[in-house]
């Protein structure tokens, strides 16, 4: 076992025990294991930066994915059961059990990784959007919401990262909350995660294309080009030559 694999293994018990194969989390049971969650996050803090720097790129990506997802679990369990505002719960996509009721979930909850302070938003911006530049990562991070990609009940590993990331994308796109085609209505529905204001712009670097999807904006063309590697050939044919408009699906933060 490599040093990186040994580290990733430490996340396995929590994920396997409290996350089912559909990505649903037993927060009530996990809340009783908060000390174990804290001890696990301490492992991220105690990792020697010199050891981390020697790891292959794939193991570094796996490390930050695991750190992000474990911290997300800890934030929610620390706030479980979620107390919601009656005023805010009537907003579209919120509901009484939305994580949006946890104020500052991405920006205010700090934790240490290799003795450096981070928030979830900082990890997303610094590593997922900039350093690693692989849009598949966006389908591997937990958003703890019904409209988000499912949380895996296993850690990420550098040695099988490509397979895990591809599987995450395929699982997400197989769900109508993420992607569906209405041929009669001539519409393609996409998750709000693909919008320019979310992650859409991030696809341009690797998936930009001018030859196809000419009716769409550059970010949408890149997203559609990305999607064609993960959906059926029949859907690919419609996306490439069909007449349609793209509509984004309202996000459900429950």
């Amino acid at each position: 076992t490599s040093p990186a694999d040994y580290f990733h293994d430490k996340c396995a018990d929590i994920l396997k025990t409290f996350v089912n194969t559909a990505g649903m989390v037993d927060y009530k049971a996990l809340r009783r294991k908060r000390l174990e969650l804290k001890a696990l996050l301490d492992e991220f803090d105690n990792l020697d930066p010199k050891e981390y720097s020697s790891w292959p790129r794939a193991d570094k990506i796996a490390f930050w994915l695991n750190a992000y997802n474990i911290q997300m679990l800890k934030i929610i369990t620390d706030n479980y059961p979620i107390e919601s505002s009656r005023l805010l719960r009537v907003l579209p996509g919120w509901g009484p059990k939305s994580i949006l009721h946890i104020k500052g979930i991405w920006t205010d909850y700090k934790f240490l990784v290799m003795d450096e302070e981070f928030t979830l938003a900082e990890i997303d911006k610094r590593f997922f959007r900039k350093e690693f530049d692989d849009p598949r990562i966006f389908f591997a991070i937990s958003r703890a919401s019904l409209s988000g990609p499912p949380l895996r009940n296993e850690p990420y590993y550098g040695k099988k990262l490509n397979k895990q990331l591809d599987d995450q994308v395929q699982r997400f796109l197989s769900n109508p909350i993420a992607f569906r085609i209405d041929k009669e209505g001539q519409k393609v529905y996409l998750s709000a995660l693909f919008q320019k204001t979310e992650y859409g712009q991030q696809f341009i670097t690797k998936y930009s294309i001018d030859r196809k999807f000419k009716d769409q904006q550059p970010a949408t063309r890149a997203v559609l080009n990305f999607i064609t590697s993960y959906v059926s050939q029949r859907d690919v044919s419609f996306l490439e030559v069909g007449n349609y408009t793209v509509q984004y699906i309202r996000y459900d933060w429950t």
Side-chain angles (χ1 to χ4, degrees), residues 200-218:
Q201 203 73 26
Q202 301 295 128
F203 289 83
I204 291 180
T205 302
K206 286 193 171 184
Y207 297 96
S208 178
I209 191 169
D210 294 324
R211 303 188 308 277
K212 294 183 286 188
F213 318 114
K214 294 180 179 180
D215 294 336
Q216 308 298 332
Q217 295 296 314

Side-chain angles (χ1 to χ4, degrees), residues 10-234:
K10 290 180 178 292
C11 304
D13 286 343
I14 287 289
L15 294 171
K16 187 175 295 184
T17 304
F18 299 101
V19 183
N20 67 21
T21 54
M24 303 297 285
V25 182
D26 186 347
Y27 290 110
K28 184 177 181 180
L30 185 58
R31 182 173 168 80
R32 296 193 291 268
K33 300 291 185 178
R34 282 179 293 171
L35 290 179
E36 292 182 23
L37 270 178
K38 182 182 182 304
L40 181 54
L41 287 169
D42 286 343
E43 295 283 351
F44 289 92
D45 181 25
N46 294 331
L47 180 65
D48 186 342
K50 292 181 180 179
E51 179 181 321
Y52 168 84
S53 65
S54 70
W55 291 358
R57 179 177 182 272
D59 273 314
K60 291 178 179 177
I61 294 175
F63 172 85
W64 287 106
L65 285 173
N66 293 332
Y68 187 105
N69 289 339
I70 295 297
Q71 172 65 357
M72 175 66 86
L73 290 176
K74 185 176 187 300
I75 293 172
I76 296 175
T77 53
D78 285 346
N79 288 275
Y80 187 87
I82 295 173
E83 295 183 5
S84 62
S85 162
R86 290 185 178 181
L87 178 64
L88 294 177
R89 71 173 64 174
V90 300
L91 295 175
W94 282 54
K97 296 182 180 180
S98 168
I99 64 166
L100 298 183
H101 295 296
I102 303 176
K103 185 179 178 180
I105 185 170
W106 290 283
T107 57
D108 294 353
Y109 287 84
K110 302 173 182 178
F111 68 118
L112 296 175
V113 180
M114 292 181 284
D115 202 33
E116 182 176 350
E117 181 183 290
F118 288 95
T119 62
L120 294 180
E122 288 167 343
I123 293 175
D124 187 13
K125 180 179 179 180
R126 176 171 161 184
F127 298 104
F128 301 155
R129 294 176 187 253
K130 291 185 177 180
E131 180 176 332
F132 297 135
D133 189 28
D134 186 338
R136 296 178 302 168
I137 290 172
F138 305 139
F139 308 100
I141 57 178
S142 171
R143 290 172 187 80
S145 55
L146 290 179
S147 285
L151 176 64
R152 294 184 82 83
N153 67 339
E154 65 174 2
Y156 288 94
Y157 289 89
K159 61 188 178 184
K160 56 180 180 178
L161 186 66
N162 272 325
K163 183 177 180 180
Q164 288 178 311
L165 293 182
D166 280 341
D167 182 61
Q168 281 295 110
V169 178
Q170 288 172 333
R171 288 177 67 189
F172 186 51
L173 291 175
S174 68
N175 194 321
I177 65 167
F179 167 71
R180 65 180 184 269
I181 291 175
D182 176 7
K183 292 184 178 179
E184 291 186 4
Q186 294 186 309
K187 288 185 178 180
V188 170
Y189 292 90
L190 296 177
S191 166
L193 290 179
F194 289 111
Q195 278 185 289
K196 180 179 178 181
T197 51
E198 284 295 324
Y199 289 121
Q201 203 73 26
Q202 301 295 128
F203 289 83
I204 291 180
T205 302
K206 286 193 171 184
Y207 297 96
S208 178
I209 191 169
D210 294 324
R211 303 188 308 277
K212 294 183 286 188
F213 318 114
K214 294 180 179 180
D215 294 336
Q216 308 298 332
Q217 295 296 314
T220 305
R221 288 203 300 269
V223 165
L224 292 172
N225 189 34
F226 168 80
I227 286 174
T228 56
S229 297
Y230 296 96
V231 298
S232 71
Q233 189 56 51
R234 183 169 57 181

